[in-house]
Amino acid sequence: MAFIEAKNIKKNFGRLEVLKGISLDVREGEVLAVIGPSGSGKSTLLRCLTQLETIGSGEISVGRVKMAGTENGRCRYAPAGDLHRIQLMTGLVFQNFHLFPHFSVLRNITEAPVHVLKMPPEEAREKALFLLSKMSLAEKADCYPYQLSGGQQQRVSIARALALNPKVLFFDEPTSALDPELTGEILKVIRDLAREKMTMMVVTHEMAFARDVADRVIFMDQGVVIEDGAPDKILVSPENERIKAFLNRFGEENWKS
């Protein structure tokens, strides 16, 4: 069953058409990797699905709750109550962490559950400590973001997203700000979540990760979906010449072995 459904999404920034009729779905428990060159609309797509941007036309549903649709040529969004329900079902992990620098690690994770979910502070604390332990960061609870490595900050941001009990997690290039050694830390966390059947949509340039972890891969270019299929079909033996040219930039020996 599709947890996310998007049909013919279009998005413009002024005269620049960034999304040119994107249609996709993400099924429950599925990991969908989104790949493609810079400027292809991948991050804008994620921002539209998480309500950080509004679409110009098309339809979006999350968890069978309609977010937006087009009626009589105009895009209309659902009432505020429905949009809030959708927000609580989704979590977004940014590429640059977006932690509150003046909050401790523990407070970064407990702030939203206490104020958004109205969770009792002690319950929020227990959940945060559990998530930090899961991220191998139990000893960092009282630290501040500046005291952490980039990989540790990103793991805290993942714990923060999980603290709201989302049904689906979106990752926008979660390793792009990290060096190769720290990248492995984050990919391991995402692999563990995949084994737990967490529904995820991951925009990534990590081809080996997409090959090994994703159930499906979407290749985007110039605001459209060029190909949607199994990782082996798209990453190992692509037939589309545009995808071949893109993958050749990464060097087959680095991720096809």
Side-chain angles (χ1 to χ4, degrees):
M1 178 182 298
F3 189 80
I4 300 170
E5 293 182 281
K7 298 178 181 178
N8 200 30
I9 296 177
K10 296 183 179 180
K11 172 67 180 177
N12 286 35
F13 291 108
R15 295 182 179 180
L16 178 63
E17 190 177 18
V18 180
L19 301 180
K20 305 174 182 178
I22 298 287
S23 295
L24 61 85
D25 62 72
V26 185
R27 295 183 283 274
E28 289 187 56
E30 179 179 48
V31 180
L32 176 67
V34 184
I35 66 171
S38 298
S40 59
K42 306 184 301 296
S43 293
T44 299
L45 173 62
L46 247 62
R47 292 177 66 85
C48 289
L49 294 176
T50 55
Q51 301 185 57
L52 294 177
E53 297 284 356
T54 57
I55 60 173
S57 62
E59 297 180 13
I60 302 174
S61 294
V62 178
R64 287 178 284 185
V65 180
K66 189 172 184 178
M67 179 194 299
T70 302
E71 300 174 10
N72 300 320
R74 294 186 60 186
C75 182
R76 299 184 184 276
Y77 271 73
D82 287 345
L83 295 180
H84 184 64
R85 285 172 59 200
I86 292 172
Q87 275 188 324
L88 293 179
M89 288 189 276
T90 62
L92 175 60
V93 178
F94 298 91
Q95 54 184 291
N96 291 315
F97 324 137
H98 286 205
L99 298 175
F100 296 113
H102 56 298
F103 287 174
S104 69
V105 164
L106 190 63
R107 189 173 175 188
N108 262 284
I109 298 171
T110 59
E111 191 75 0
V114 169
H115 294 286
V116 176
L117 299 183
K118 307 304 180 185
M119 186 182 292
E122 189 54 39
E123 182 182 343
R125 175 184 170 83
E126 289 180 8
K127 184 173 183 65
L129 291 174
F130 167 77
L131 290 169
L132 284 173
S133 178
K134 189 174 182 177
M135 301 291 156
S136 301
L137 292 172
E139 76 285 359
K140 302 294 185 181
D142 296 323
C143 294
Y144 285 80
Y146 77 90
Q147 297 173 303
L148 305 179
S149 70
Q152 289 170 335
Q153 290 187 58
Q154 191 63 293
R155 279 182 280 161
V156 171
S157 70
I158 295 172
R160 180 179 60 182
L162 290 171
L164 288 170
N165 301 316
K167 301 295 185 184
V168 57
L169 271 183
F170 295 90
F171 292 85
D172 186 9
E173 295 283 6
T175 62
S176 66
L178 306 176
D179 63 38
E181 185 175 351
L182 298 179
T183 291
E185 297 177 5
I186 303 309
L187 297 183
K188 179 183 181 302
V189 170
I190 300 175
R191 284 188 174 95
D192 290 343
L193 291 171
R195 280 193 285 268
E196 295 171 9
K197 295 300 180 183
M198 183 75 191
T199 306
M200 293 184 282
M201 184 172 176
V202 186
V203 171
T204 183
H205 279 114
E206 298 291 336
M207 297 301 114
F209 165 80
R211 178 201 63 199
D212 295 341
V213 179
D215 298 295
R216 282 167 50 230
V217 175
I218 282 178
F219 180 84
M220 288 181 62
D221 190 24
Q222 297 184 12
V224 299
V225 172
I226 302 295
E227 193 87 48
D228 177 348
D232 282 352
K233 175 186 175 185
I234 293 179
L235 297 174
V236 179
S237 54
E239 297 180 358
N240 184 283
E241 292 302 321
R242 178 65 187 93
I243 299 175
K244 288 180 182 179
F246 172 77
L247 294 176
N248 283 339
R249 294 166 42 201
F250 292 88
E252 293 186 9
E253 69 281 0
N254 294 326
W255 56 273
K256 280 195 175 183
S257 59

